[in-house]
Amino acid sequence: MHKTSIRLATAGLALTLLGTTAWAAPANASALPAVPPSAPGLHEIAGYPRQNVLPVWPDNPADASIPIGVIPYDEIAPKLNALQAASDRVSARVAGRSSGGHDLYAVVVTAPESRKEARQQEEWKRLIEEDPVRARTDRKLLAGYKTPLFVNANIHGNEWEGTDAALRVIEEYATSTDPEVATLLERNRLIVNVTANPTGRIAGTRANANGYDLNRDLTIVSQPETNLIRELTIDTKPIITLDLHGYVNPTLLHPSTPPHNVNNEYDLFIKHALPNALGIERDLRALGHPETQRARIPFRDDAPGVWDDFPPIYVPSFALLQSSIPYTIEAPLNPRGANLTPEERLRRSAINTDVHEVAIKSSLQYIQDNRAQVLFDQAEVYRRGWAGEPLRDIPDDFVPGWGPEDNYNTVFPRAYVIPTGPGQRSEPAAARLVDLLIGSGGRVWKAKKSFRADGRSYPAGSYVVDLHQPKRGLVNSLLEPGIDLTDRVDDLYAGPAAWSQGLTWGATVDTLWDKKLPTVQLTRVYDGVAQGTLPPASADLRLDIQDAADLLVVNSLVRKGLRVYRSADGSVVVPSTPGSRKLLQEAVRTHGVTFERAPARWQGTPVGEIVVGYLGGVEQRDTLAALGFEAQAVTAATLAGTLTDEVDVLLVSSNLNVAALTPENRAALDAFLARGGGVVGLGTAGANFGNATSLLSVTATAGPSLASGVANVVNRGGPVSTDASPYTFISQPVWFTDLGAGVTVEQSYAADPLLAGWWATSGANGQSAAANQASIVRSVSPGGNGVVLFGSNPTFRLHPKGLQPQLGRALLWAAQP
């Protein structure tokens, strides 16, 4: 077990007030608005309730919620409409649309507020982040601010009951005449994302309609449902965040095991997270169900790595970096399964609903009982960020069970610079990264003039990310390389063990360790802008493919009839032709890509319209779409009908047993290869396919399934890896040895492969075995097929955007080697 038994009453945990060092914005920053222009101005703030008649969806008897005994999706809007009609405490709106086209409902439950009162609440909420010292000494704020609690329900579609519990609480609070409820709503706001995954709820699937686990997407934000969760978390600034799930028996609730994200002010979290968890456990026991007599609290009950809060991809770990006290709540009883009677399904879902209701009410009560301290500590996170203070060393037994295995921390740099101009690998990638930082609650500035820092020169317009800012932990978590976890844990709940958008999203990012910011005037910005470059007319133009945006442009130009040529180094050349200028201007304006004059005696292979058949899943499908390729799904059972004459390249990312194909499907595969079809393979599946079809000969070795993170690589040059980053992203890394005749190494793992993450150092699957071995190889088969194999993972959850251009280059080359 991770922890010794803990007996701790909520009141028994000392809550210590800390110092009140003042904060300051960057000294060289120009006068700035306190909030982004996209946030509503105070004059636009309306009072509460803010009620809307929600559109009602048609009755759907096939809704998977019905057999479970929970509310079907089509009954949610009518229920909320009725509650709004009956009560001035309830405000509901359609806050977005899911990937499946269903309405996403956001609800606020609170006592009515006039416009003046609502504006005052907004001013106080902003003040907590902008001037935390002033906020936590403001008597009126401390007495009158409505502390928020955010409930995110049903993020996994087939974990239903959080929605029902939230609706139960909304209805009770809307209609209750209890004076204690009235007082609760006068001092709090309850914000509810009623069903974060409505399409999954209806279908009974964990994933959304696009096929993604939304609780792995908070720092990628590839899905509309995740965008809303992020927006609600940032905009409402909740004291406590509850993410309601199922099914783990007994009920599981945070805090989590180590490893802990190194960027959190963990002392300010765990001092509240543990006592509130114990309070929830106490209240669950009071339900009287045999199944709720004990909770599982990973911090207390589990070994390191079993249920960690390390990567910020989850709702709770993302919310923690926003200065919220977050929880995953896993209800105990799985109501799915063909062997359950209808009565047992209903019994289980009823208990699960009770569990989630308790979590909501107990957490609201914790805020009530500890109001002054939780407000102080939320502001303290922001104060430390503004002041640039180091993370605290947390002593053993800071809370019962805290030990050396829990201590994770980092040293914050002074700032990061995301350059523009010649020092930037990709302007679109830089703009995307800036958008992610700002959209996630971070702050970014732009230099008004050129400057020097740490011995490097930067042009005007370069982005400066000052880490003396309130959410520095969130920003640093996205930009820093990460840490090597290998020697500290031997398990993780789910990877990746390192992510670093700063190193894997394709932009050049420099770290400044000097204690002072560069001496240049800075202006805060609220979005990233890729200006792009187009040299004067009448010149042949070169485009170095360093981002998905570059591939989008290439594929678009080809479809519009322009001649495009691929050079030996993987870049492309667009000859100057009548009418091409307008199309190139449009490409630069739309995508921010950078063209330059082509060399005087350039040579290249014509690029045609390329159709990619993919043997894989949604990640491959959507990566190909991001690169602008026409794609069609292929499976072992459908080769005869899908691997048609127009397919130029086959992307293999899942296993295909060539020997087991039916004669008809084998004939389709043979015909594709006979006409010179290219192959790009990912991982061992790609290598196995290449060997089975005699396209090339390699031995592929996979690292442990837990191995993931950021790896050091050496680029050998060629159409795939020229000018690529020296870092790659891995998830169960693969390397290639015993290379047959004609196999060329484009990229290899460095002598010290792992920069950050987890990967066993020794053994047949460890780093020592992969050191200096190939991570990307290419070959031309005797029949003329271009083949590229990747040991890295360029499609993982749509995360490693810096690897997407490598995949695109490989597809271009494999189509016409």
Side-chain angles (χ1 to χ4, degrees), residues 347-358:
R347 187 189 78 84
R348 292 186 178 197
S349 65
I351 292 174
N352 292 337
T353 304
D354 290 346
V355 165
H356 286 316
E357 180 187 3
V358 164

Side-chain angles (χ1 to χ4, degrees), residues 105 149 212 226 329 364 479 504 608 625 654 657 680 698 714-715 729 733:
Y105 306 121
L149 183 145
Y212 289 91
T226 316
I329 309 290
L364 273 170
L479 293 180
T504 65
S654 60
N657 187 340
V680 175
V698 298
V714 177
N715 294 301
F729 179 82

Side-chain angles (χ1 to χ4, degrees), residues 17 48 55 62 152 178 184 224 244 298 316 329 331 378 384 386 403 417 470 520 535 551 569 599 643 705 724 739 741:
L17 297 178
Y48 280 98
N152 189 59
D178 187 339
L184 186 78
L244 305 183
I329 309 290
Q378 184 176 68
R384 292 180 187 178
W386 281 118
V417 176
V520 62
L551 267 301
D569 65 358
L643 199 60
S705 60
L739 306 182

Side-chain angles (χ1 to χ4, degrees), residues 286-367:
L287 287 172
H289 302 301
E291 298 91 343
T292 62
Q293 292 308 295
R294 177 176 172 81
R296 173 182 165 192
I297 301 173
F299 175 81
R300 178 188 68 186
D301 299 329
D302 289 326
V306 171
W307 199 286
D308 62 87
D309 55 6
F310 189 67
I313 56 175
Y314 313 114
V315 172
S317 52
F318 179 81
L320 181 51
L321 289 164
Q322 301 289 334
S323 192
S324 185
I325 304 162
Y327 294 83
T328 289
I329 309 290
E330 296 275 356
L333 301 176
N334 190 342
R336 306 186 297 254
N339 296 327
L340 298 179
T341 66
E343 294 77 15
E344 178 62 11
R345 292 183 196 278
L346 298 183
R347 187 189 78 84
R348 292 186 178 197
S349 65
I351 292 174
N352 292 337
T353 304
D354 290 346
V355 165
H356 286 316
E357 180 187 3
V358 164
I360 296 169
K361 290 181 174 179
S362 297
S363 296
L364 273 170
Q365 191 61 50
Y366 184 85
I367 295 173

Side-chain angles (χ1 to χ4, degrees), residues 130-408:
E130 296 298 326
D131 194 343
V133 173
R134 179 182 160 200
R136 67 190 189 188
T137 56
D138 185 317
R139 293 179 182 274
K140 291 184 178 179
L141 184 155
L142 296 175
Y145 179 60
K146 289 185 171 181
T147 42
L149 183 145
F150 173 43
V151 175
N152 189 59
N154 199 202
I155 190 171
H156 292 147
N158 60 355
E159 299 167 11
W160 293 270
E161 296 91 347
T163 294
D164 295 75
L167 288 171
R168 183 189 291 177
V169 173
I170 292 169
E171 182 170 13
E172 177 184 342
Y173 289 174
T175 58
S176 175
T177 58
D178 187 339
E180 290 188 5
V181 171
T183 300
L184 186 78
L185 298 181
E186 286 168 0
R187 295 175 65 79
N188 296 275
R189 284 180 180 171
L190 174 63
I191 301 98
V192 181
N193 188 13
V194 178
T195 169
N197 185 1
T199 311
R201 182 180 186 84
I202 295 166
T205 60
R206 178 183 179 93
N208 72 345
N210 284 339
Y212 289 91
D213 185 333
L214 299 174
N215 205 31
R216 306 291 185 271
D217 193 48
L218 266 292
T219 53
I220 304 168
V221 204
S222 67
Q223 303 302 303
E225 299 94 337
T226 316
N227 189 62
L228 177 61
I229 296 168
R230 183 179 72 163
E231 177 184 301
L232 290 171
T233 305
I234 294 169
D235 289 352
T236 63
K237 213 181 302 299
I239 296 293
I240 290 178
T241 297
L242 301 176
D243 194 30
L244 305 183
H245 289 259
Y247 303 97
V248 176
N249 195 358
T251 300
L252 182 145
L253 55 142
H254 284 185
S256 299
T257 69
H260 307 302
N261 189 297
V262 299
N263 292 281
N264 281 310
E265 309 287 347
Y266 221 81
D267 59 318
L268 301 176
F269 161 69
I270 195 66
K271 67 191 286 189
H272 297 293
L274 183 57
N276 185 40
L278 296 170
I280 295 172
E281 182 181 45
R282 177 198 62 221
D283 294 343
L284 289 175
R285 192 176 300 119
L287 287 172
H289 302 301
E291 298 91 343
T292 62
Q293 292 308 295
R294 177 176 172 81
R296 173 182 165 192
I297 301 173
F299 175 81
R300 178 188 68 186
D301 299 329
D302 289 326
V306 171
W307 199 286
D308 62 87
D309 55 6
F310 189 67
I313 56 175
Y314 313 114
V315 172
S317 52
F318 179 81
L320 181 51
L321 289 164
Q322 301 289 334
S323 192
S324 185
I325 304 162
Y327 294 83
T328 289
I329 309 290
E330 296 275 356
L333 301 176
N334 190 342
R336 306 186 297 254
N339 296 327
L340 298 179
T341 66
E343 294 77 15
E344 178 62 11
R345 292 183 196 278
L346 298 183
R347 187 189 78 84
R348 292 186 178 197
S349 65
I351 292 174
N352 292 337
T353 304
D354 290 346
V355 165
H356 286 316
E357 180 187 3
V358 164
I360 296 169
K361 290 181 174 179
S362 297
S363 296
L364 273 170
Q365 191 61 50
Y366 184 85
I367 295 173
Q368 286 287 90
D369 294 343
N370 300 279
R371 174 184 171 82
Q373 190 66 54
V374 293
L375 272 173
F376 186 98
D377 289 337
Q378 184 176 68
E380 174 65 9
V381 171
Y382 301 141
R383 187 199 68 78
R384 292 180 187 178
W386 281 118
E389 295 181 357
L391 291 171
R392 299 295 194 266
D393 291 325
I394 305 177
D396 291 352
D397 297 318
F398 175 76
V399 296
W402 182 273
E405 70 276 15
D406 291 297
N407 271 309
Y408 283 81

